[in-house]
Amino acid sequence: MRTTRKRTTGRPLRSGPLACGLAAVLGAGALTGCAQDSGGSGGEDGRTTLSVGVFGVFGYKQAGLYDEYEKLHPDIRIKENSTERNEDYYPALLNHLSANSGLSDIQAVEVDNINEVAGLHADKLVDMAKVEGIRKSDWLGWKWNQAKADSGQVVGLGTDIGPMGVCYRKDLFAKAGLPTDRKKVGKLWQGDWSKYVDAGAEYMKSAPEGTAFMDGAAGLYNGAVSSYPVKYYSADGKLVYKKSEGVRESWDLAMRAIEGDMTGKLKQFDKEWDQGYANGDFASVVCPPWMLGYIKEKAGDKGAGKWDVAAAPRPANWGGSFLTVPKGGKHREEAVELAKWLTAPEQQAKLFEKQASFPSSQAAYALPEVKEAKHPYFDDAPIGSIFSEAAEGIPTTPLGPKDQVIKTTISDIGILQVEQQGKKPQEGWDAAVKKIDDVVED
């Protein structure tokens, strides 16, 4: 499905390579001095340098894929330009695209931003659907379509995705009288997110002292709403979140969890959330594959042998990105070949094996790195099969230019006001709607 995109103005640039920090703050007009440094170039040794702009840790360097590609192509050197947070990276990318300068040879785009990029700047990006050797069938259909512009152009190749499961503490489940076997746990809530909340109600009847069933209501909301075929925008690009069945029912489930005192009232990725893992303060969390490593890191030895993962109530996606190639790059053909190689099934499987980035390439699911994958920290859970099955059932949900803004506002303003500040559900909803109306064009 595609959406009709409204043209909007990019936010002021705030980040980019550190050497360009001051110039970046001044806006797109000051990008000229940084532009020459960010793109690819020919080196003194005769090799072509290809630059790859990413946010956070994409894992290509850490998994050795850049080194492998350079060995296969001795005339190529790869330079990664990484910005820590997408909140800083994306406004910079919009400004670079608007100015048509300062772009890396390859630019990553987060899933919640791909619709806006396709709507505003498809004419500046290579149409990947027309690149020789790229097979649409390698990707999950819904992932391929997420990067499709209204014109039919595909502006990027899918990297990872975030099919959801539910990670849970077996020891806390046992103490509360709930099953601990992952298949039996999955059956508790199979097919319906409301059953997950029902399980929470049962847990709280005999909850170990000082523990909650889940980390926070926003995680529940995110999992539930992402399993619906319509969230914030309709297939024809209209903003429909106020009337969306998925939003309404997911909000109501979050409110039910808060009212039942089932949540730890934690905001995800805050320090208190991290400490909650270490202290065993909650028994479950909605988790995509990339969160497993995070849980292991934060729970540490205290959580060893206690965590497991079961299937989520319904297939849903949280996260994922794309690689785009600007048309104006000095080494466009070489950049396309690199993007094609990095997102090929074999490389996606290697990235999952080494970095837990789950493939958007369905062709990778039959490869041993995915098919046979187990996670020792989670009692050898067969994460390859659990998340592959979830990935194949994820609905094709229309994206809009401000998906990220809407989702974040509902979670961080609406839900948290109810959960942490004691506001009534209607007050929290009204506060979120007011903020969204201020920044999102209807």
Side-chain angles (χ1 to χ4, degrees):
M1 296 183 184
R2 301 197 302 275
T3 66
T4 302
R5 302 173 180 86
K6 298 175 181 178
R7 301 222 166 234
T8 57
T9 302
R11 289 173 289 171
L13 180 62
R14 288 182 51 224
S15 72
L18 292 178
C20 299
L22 179 59
V25 174
L26 300 178
L31 296 176
T32 308
C34 302
Q36 297 174 352
D37 293 332
S38 59
S41 62
E44 294 180 0
D45 58 1
R47 292 197 293 173
T48 297
T49 298
L50 297 179
S51 56
V52 182
V54 302
F55 51 91
V57 178
F58 263 59
Y60 296 135
K61 181 190 299 183
Q62 293 78 1
L65 293 184
Y66 291 153
D67 290 341
E68 183 178 348
Y69 191 82
E70 290 178 352
K71 289 180 181 178
L72 294 171
H73 302 83
D75 58 331
I76 297 293
R77 178 195 290 118
I78 301 170
K79 174 188 176 184
E80 184 176 273
N81 300 323
S82 179
T83 301
E84 183 176 355
R85 304 188 314 157
N86 187 48
E87 290 90 338
D88 298 323
Y89 170 89
Y90 182 58
L93 175 61
L94 284 182
N95 276 344
H96 282 284
L97 284 168
S98 296
N100 205 21
S101 67
L103 293 160
S104 295
D105 294 301
I106 294 175
Q107 292 282 175
V109 180
E110 205 268 345
V111 61
D112 285 336
N113 303 131
I114 193 67
N115 179 277
E116 186 170 42
V117 167
L120 294 172
H121 300 296
D123 59 323
K124 297 169 185 171
L125 300 171
V126 171
D127 185 354
M128 294 300 189
K130 295 182 178 179
V131 173
E132 184 178 356
I134 289 180
R135 299 184 299 269
K136 174 183 176 181
S137 59
D138 280 350
W139 280 268
L140 292 162
W142 61 265
K143 180 71 173 183
W144 179 266
N145 289 335
Q146 283 180 331
K148 189 178 290 186
D150 292 335
S151 62
Q153 175 181 340
V154 176
V155 301
L157 296 177
T159 59
D160 61 319
I161 55 174
M164 295 191 205
V166 175
C167 295
Y168 64 98
R169 285 275 300 248
K170 294 182 294 182
D171 58 326
L172 297 182
F173 267 43
K175 291 177 181 178
L178 296 180
T180 59
D181 176 79
R182 66 179 66 97
K183 289 186 178 179
K184 292 181 179 179
V185 169
K187 288 182 179 179
L188 284 176
W189 47 67
Q190 186 175 12
D192 192 343
W193 283 95
S194 68
K195 293 181 181 179
Y196 176 62
V197 181
D198 290 342
E202 285 300 311
Y203 177 91
M204 296 310 299
K205 290 178 181 178
S206 304
E209 186 177 356
T211 70
F213 177 65
M214 67 185 77
D215 57 329
L220 164 62
Y221 169 82
N222 186 33
V225 76
S226 298
S227 69
Y228 282 85
V230 174
K231 294 190 297 184
Y232 308 125
Y233 290 84
S234 64
D236 59 358
K238 294 180 180 178
L239 193 65
V240 296
Y241 79 95
K242 295 177 185 177
K243 299 179 180 179
S244 166
E245 177 187 9
V247 172
R248 182 180 67 253
E249 294 193 358
S250 301
W251 173 271
D252 288 346
L253 283 177
M255 296 304 105
R256 183 181 155 203
I258 294 170
E259 290 166 354
D261 204 24
M262 302 175 201
T263 83
K265 302 180 181 180
L266 298 170
K267 181 180 178 182
Q268 293 184 332
F269 303 105
D270 275 4
K271 183 185 297 184
E272 291 77 11
W273 189 59
D274 294 347
Q275 293 171 343
Y277 283 117
N279 298 333
D281 291 339
F282 51 88
S284 70
V285 58
V286 179
C287 60
W290 52 261
M291 193 183 284
L292 302 186
Y294 191 95
I295 293 172
K296 178 182 177 182
E297 176 186 350
K298 301 305 178 183
D301 293 340
K302 293 181 179 179
K306 298 176 180 178
W307 282 95
D308 207 330
V309 57
R314 289 167 54 186
N317 183 68
W318 177 9
S321 299
F322 299 82
L323 296 184
T324 70
V325 177
K327 288 181 179 178
K330 295 180 181 179
H331 308 291
R332 185 173 67 184
E333 291 183 7
E334 293 91 340
V336 167
E337 288 303 308
L338 175 57
K340 183 168 68 173
W341 187 85
L342 288 172
T343 58
E346 295 77 11
Q347 278 62 255
Q348 290 205 28
K350 291 176 185 176
L351 197 62
F352 173 61
E353 180 183 36
K354 297 182 179 181
Q355 293 294 123
S357 295
F358 200 80
S360 63
S361 170
Q362 60 188 351
Y365 299 165
L367 299 177
E369 296 95 330
V370 180
K371 186 177 181 179
E372 300 170 8
K374 295 182 179 180
H375 202 302
Y377 190 84
F378 290 81
D379 196 20
D380 285 328
I383 58 174
S385 59
I386 289 173
F387 290 116
S388 292
E389 185 175 345
E392 292 170 344
I394 293 170
T396 300
T397 302
L399 298 179
K402 298 300 180 183
D403 265 65
Q404 187 175 56
V405 172
I406 298 169
K407 178 177 71 175
T408 301
T409 303
I410 290 175
S411 295
D412 291 357
I413 292 180
I415 291 175
L416 283 183
Q417 283 196 4
V418 180
E419 189 171 34
Q420 294 185 354
Q421 299 176 25
K423 297 288 184 67
K424 294 180 180 179
Q426 189 62 50
E427 291 176 318
W429 176 255
D430 289 344
V433 168
K434 183 179 185 303
K435 179 65 174 178
I436 294 170
D437 285 347
D438 287 344
V439 297
V440 178
E441 181 183 357
D442 194 345

